[in-house]
Amino acid sequence: MSVKNLLNGVILFTSSVLILVTSASVVVAKQHLEIPVSGMVTMVDLGAKKCIPCKMMAPIMEELEAEYKGRAAIVFIDVWENPNAGNDYGISLIPTQIFYDAKGNEVLRHEGFYDKASIISELTKLGVK
């Protein structure tokens, strides 16, 4: 599980939810993920729900998450809701997509909008069927 300190709380990344745990509240999510997911090809999209190219990618990410469930981890992190993520992942603009192989090695970074066919091509190159 990827855990980062945030002021007096903790943030946990999940497949589709950013969780903020403070002494006052705990939000329960459906699935906690270590990023990259151990033993699985992982694609992380760092963006924001309100940026235009990120909004264009949102339905693609939802489709890919459903289509590749159990075969590859498709993760979205909103950098405006989690401002430390930009530094943690070393990004300079959004959206940025990072692909990891099943061993957890970063193999590709792409900046800007990335169409579904190109993402599928990269996942296929990494051995995802």
Side-chain angles (χ1 to χ4, degrees):
M1 183 177 315
S2 178
V3 178
K4 307 283 182 190
N5 287 327
L6 177 67
L7 300 174
N8 63 354
V10 173
I11 56 172
L12 308 171
F13 294 108
T14 70
S15 61
S16 60
V17 179
L18 177 64
I19 303 171
L20 175 60
V21 181
T22 67
S23 57
S25 66
V26 176
V27 179
V28 179
K30 60 183 179 180
Q31 180 183 10
H32 300 285
L33 293 176
E34 178 181 331
I35 299 172
V37 175
S38 180
M40 184 175 278
V41 170
T42 304
M43 178 210 170
V44 179
D45 180 41
L46 294 117
K49 294 175 188 158
K50 296 180 182 178
C51 97
I52 304 269
C54 304
K55 284 182 182 182
M56 294 167 53
M57 286 202 59
I60 294 170
M61 293 297 293
E62 289 174 15
E63 290 171 13
L64 291 170
E65 184 178 10
E67 292 170 16
Y68 284 89
K69 187 173 183 142
R71 299 182 293 145
I74 309 297
V75 181
F76 173 76
I77 300 173
D78 189 311
V79 298
W80 290 352
E81 292 176 4
N82 176 25
N84 293 329
N87 288 332
D88 293 346
Y89 289 91
I91 65 167
S92 57
L93 63 92
I94 58 173
T96 294
Q97 301 78 37
I98 305 172
F99 291 81
Y100 298 91
D101 64 17
K103 294 179 182 177
N105 300 309
E106 182 177 330
V107 294
L108 176 72
R109 277 184 184 237
H110 177 270
E111 296 178 332
F113 176 82
Y114 213 24
D115 66 90
K116 186 175 179 179
S118 297
I119 294 170
I120 290 171
S121 174
E122 293 303 330
L123 294 172
T124 301
K125 287 178 192 174
L126 291 170
V128 181
K129 298 179 182 192

